Amino acid sequence: MTRLLVRGGTVVTGTSGRDGVSRIEDGAVLVDGAEIAAVDDWTVLRARHPNLPVTGSDRHVVLPGLVNAHHHVGLTPVQLGSLDEPLELWAITRLSARDVDPYLDTLYSAFEMLASGVTTVQHIFAWPTRDLDALRQRMGRIIQAYIDVGMRVSFSMAMRDQNRSMLLTDEEMLAGVPKSLRPRLACRFETMTVPLAEQIAVFEDLLAAFADHDLVRIQLAPGNLHWCSDSAIETVQRLSERHHLPLHIHLLETAYQKEYARRRTGGSALDHLHRFGMTGPHVTIGHGVWMSEADVALVADTGTHVCHNCSSNLRLRSGILPLNRLLDRGISVALGIDEAGINDDRDMLQEMRLVLRLHREPGMDERYPTATQVLHMATEAGAATTPFADRIGRLAPGYAADLLVIDQEAVAGPYLDSAIGPVDAVLNRAKPAHVKAVMVAGREVVRDGEVMTLDSAAALTDLKCQLAQPQTDGERDRRDFAAALYEPVRRLYSTYLDAVEPVPFWAPNSRR
């Protein structure tokens, strides 16, 4: 069992409110196996444990490990040929993606996340297929990649039972595309159709398989309102209650999704879920961009979580989450990078900085998130959306030894005024190059930018060699099919919204 001290000129143990930072100057963390045994002054812990090895020094900042609370894939959509588009069209372009080994694909993004201090990822898996053996194998290889690299994962299996495309029913989609494309589209819908009972059986097998693994938790992800019938919503909610598991649902990501909810329910998507009990501390809303004032009030009153996917919302033209309003109401908001960040990578330090900057409203009052609040989003608030809640997100005795060590001198170089505190310095200036070490469950997985658990160079070489092979007939066929579908689908959605496009209640100059 590994025992060591992790030292920092500042040890940030937790955050609260706009500016509440719990920290110890010249402090240390005593790591005993996979857990934190003590957090105290450096001199105190060193005197008690004079012979233990030491990571870090008085020139470093020690932080709780970061949580990427919404993630899907390894190679980014751009890398696989899909430029940013509105979500409903982007989903069509994604059909043309190459076939990628799920193990190597997962490692690719895991390397990037770990390099920026992410120790836990909420991986939302959405790959419906009638071939249940292929489904199980793919999920198993993704989870194994996280285990092998030493990263903590909350794996969410998405569930859906309708609308094999996006908002439109299968029948509406088929009727809206040229006749020549209908047989191929119908065949695709058929291969994606998996009875909900079979999805649940696969999920429960997965849950049992990883019940005792320290680094893996399995949870639920009903896909979205438009992908789930009322029966499916009720079934997944009961499943959550039976297994005492949190769930994560994409919701109100685009204006089109808000309009879908109005047509289907006569009102709000969130109100509809609430009728089935799918609100509360066990629920996380992914995106939530198009919530109304009443929706925000409901989220606050029920203790429902929200996951802010800032880069994704900007890249896919979905809009901007009313973050300041949510924080004002005391809503717990986590942070997710989704497919990729603003620079087409998985740099959580950069994602935090984007959130810090984007929501600075004009005026002299406090209409902006502080560095402390954004760090909280990426630590404790993210942890609260997973089954690892109360085990990660803080540095305290009994918590998992998940942490990162940042070179404070390098962050400050060549000069940084002493008035700038360590949290503000990290949120404003830190980059992956400044990360000295990353630890998960007491195991050092990154040191000086290098992954310690696997040969990352060899894995990336294997990935590159696989994708250097010529496209298969199936890949070329999917690319041609996606290109042929694009314009018909664009036309279908061009008339989907009302004559006056709905605006979020927080938009400048909008009517309340």
Side-chain angles (χ1 to χ4, degrees):
M1 182 178 291
T2 302
R3 301 182 80 238
L4 75 156
L5 294 172
V6 182
R7 183 184 181 186
T10 300
V11 176
V12 176
T13 60
T15 52
S16 62
R18 282 188 65 80
D19 297 298
V21 178
S22 301
R23 68 189 196 194
I24 302 172
E25 300 301 329
D26 197 15
V29 179
L30 173 61
V31 175
D32 189 353
E35 292 189 348
I36 295 171
V39 184
D40 210 328
D41 293 334
W42 160 250
T43 52
V44 171
L45 289 180
R46 193 53 169 168
R48 293 176 185 165
H49 308 280
N51 299 317
L52 288 184
V54 178
T55 293
S57 70
D58 59 359
R59 64 174 280 173
H60 293 96
V61 177
V62 181
L63 298 167
L66 306 180
V67 180
N68 180 3
H70 192 113
H71 171 77
H72 292 287
V73 294
L75 287 166
T76 72
V78 168
Q79 287 176 291
L80 292 175
S82 293
L83 291 173
D84 297 343
E85 296 263 15
L87 177 66
E88 290 75 16
L89 291 179
W90 179 81
I92 298 301
T93 72
R94 293 286 284 132
L95 298 177
S96 65
R98 298 285 304 271
D99 294 321
V100 186
D101 179 340
Y103 180 84
L104 295 175
D105 188 56
T106 302
L107 287 182
Y108 173 69
S109 56
F111 295 154
E112 290 191 333
M113 285 188 278
L114 285 168
S116 66
V118 174
T119 54
T120 298
V121 60
Q122 170 75 265
H123 187 115
I124 302 171
F125 176 85
W127 194 70
T129 174
R130 222 172 31 186
D131 186 343
L132 297 185
D133 288 339
L135 182 67
R136 289 186 173 94
Q137 289 174 14
R138 191 174 187 88
M139 292 192 297
R141 285 182 62 75
I142 290 170
I143 295 171
Q144 191 61 51
Y146 288 119
I147 292 171
D148 289 349
V149 80
M151 191 172 182
R152 198 178 295 276
V153 59
S154 180
F155 187 89
S156 291
M157 178 179 165
M159 294 188 179
R160 58 193 290 182
D161 71 337
Q162 66 176 26
N163 298 5
R164 254 42 68 160
S165 180
M166 289 292 285
L167 305 175
L168 304 176
T169 66
D170 297 350
E171 293 75 20
E172 288 171 331
M173 278 290 291
L174 289 169
V177 303
K179 289 183 179 180
S180 61
L181 299 177
R182 291 174 190 172
R184 173 69 194 275
L185 187 58
C187 180
R188 177 171 177 79
F189 288 162
E190 185 180 352
T191 62
M192 295 172 64
T193 300
V194 185
L196 191 61
E198 293 183 14
Q199 296 178 54
I200 291 171
V202 171
F203 165 79
E204 292 190 320
D205 287 347
L206 198 65
L207 188 63
F210 293 97
D212 299 321
H213 202 289
D214 182 53
L215 295 182
V216 180
R217 294 292 183 272
I218 308 299
Q219 66 177 89
L220 290 157
N224 204 318
L225 180 63
H226 55 268
W227 281 327
C228 292
S229 67
D230 287 356
S231 176
I233 293 170
E234 184 174 20
T235 298
V236 174
Q237 171 61 20
R238 299 290 88 78
L239 195 63
S240 169
E241 294 170 358
R242 182 161 71 250
H243 292 290
H244 306 288
L245 290 175
L247 54 84
H248 192 121
I249 181 169
H250 291 67
L251 202 71
L252 294 170
E253 182 174 354
T254 71
Y256 296 86
Q257 292 179 14
K258 183 173 184 176
E259 173 62 10
Y260 170 86
R262 186 194 67 79
R263 294 185 187 187
R264 171 172 162 180
T265 73
S268 159
L270 208 52
D271 270 341
H272 193 69
L273 294 182
H274 183 61
R275 296 187 191 109
F276 293 91
M278 200 175 276
T279 52
H282 70 295
V283 177
T284 299
I285 295 169
H287 296 281
V289 173
W290 290 86
M291 290 188 291
S292 66
E293 277 187 285
D295 290 335
V296 172
L298 179 58
V299 168
D301 292 345
T302 57
T304 303
H305 303 270
V306 173
C307 183
H308 184 17
N309 304 317
C310 189
S311 286
S312 174
N313 296 336
L314 292 175
R315 293 184 61 164
L316 302 186
R317 295 161 54 185
S318 299
I320 300 174
L321 182 79
L323 177 63
N324 296 324
R325 276 66 171 172
L326 271 60
L327 295 177
D328 286 348
R329 294 296 302 263
I331 293 169
S332 179
V333 183
L335 190 59
I337 304 178
D338 211 335
E339 265 83 6
I342 205 73
N343 277 353
D344 210 52
D345 58 16
R346 266 55 68 111
D347 181 350
M348 183 58 89
L349 297 169
Q350 174 182 261
E351 191 71 14
M352 290 194 292
R353 192 166 301 123
L354 178 64
V355 173
L356 186 68
R357 296 282 188 265
L358 181 65
H359 300 280
R360 306 181 72 81
E361 298 180 34
M364 299 297 173
D365 54 358
E366 293 183 339
R367 303 302 300 168
Y368 61 90
T370 64
T372 299
Q373 287 175 305
V374 177
L375 179 59
H376 185 84
M377 291 168 66
T379 52
E380 291 179 71
T385 70
T386 77
F388 293 111
D390 301 327
R391 287 275 296 147
I392 61 173
R394 293 185 64 86
L395 300 181
Y399 274 65
D402 294 5
L403 53 84
L404 68 151
V405 181
I406 292 180
D407 188 333
Q408 187 171 10
E409 285 192 11
V411 169
Y415 173 77
L416 184 65
D417 195 279
S418 59
I420 305 300
V423 171
D424 281 305
V426 167
L427 267 289
N428 280 278
R429 295 181 56 82
K431 301 174 179 64
H434 301 142
V435 176
K436 168 72 175 177
V438 178
M439 185 174 291
V440 181
R443 181 188 187 190
E444 191 174 22
V445 294
V446 173
R447 181 187 304 157
D448 295 326
E450 296 294 326
V451 175
M452 306 298 293
T453 49
L454 289 174
D455 187 339
S456 59
L460 295 180
T461 297
D462 287 347
L463 182 60
K464 182 177 180 180
C465 289
Q466 285 188 13
L467 290 167
Q469 299 300 312
Q471 288 187 7
T472 65
D473 291 342
E475 288 172 333
R476 283 192 295 270
D477 185 48
R478 285 202 309 272
R479 179 156 297 191
D480 291 343
F481 182 55
L485 279 176
Y486 181 88
E487 187 56 30
V489 172
R490 189 195 66 78
R491 286 196 299 269
L492 283 171
Y493 283 113
S494 67
T495 58
Y496 191 83
L497 295 179
D498 289 339
V500 178
E501 181 174 332
V503 295
F505 76 86
W506 47 268
N509 302 319
S510 66
R511 294 181 179 180
R512 296 295 192 266

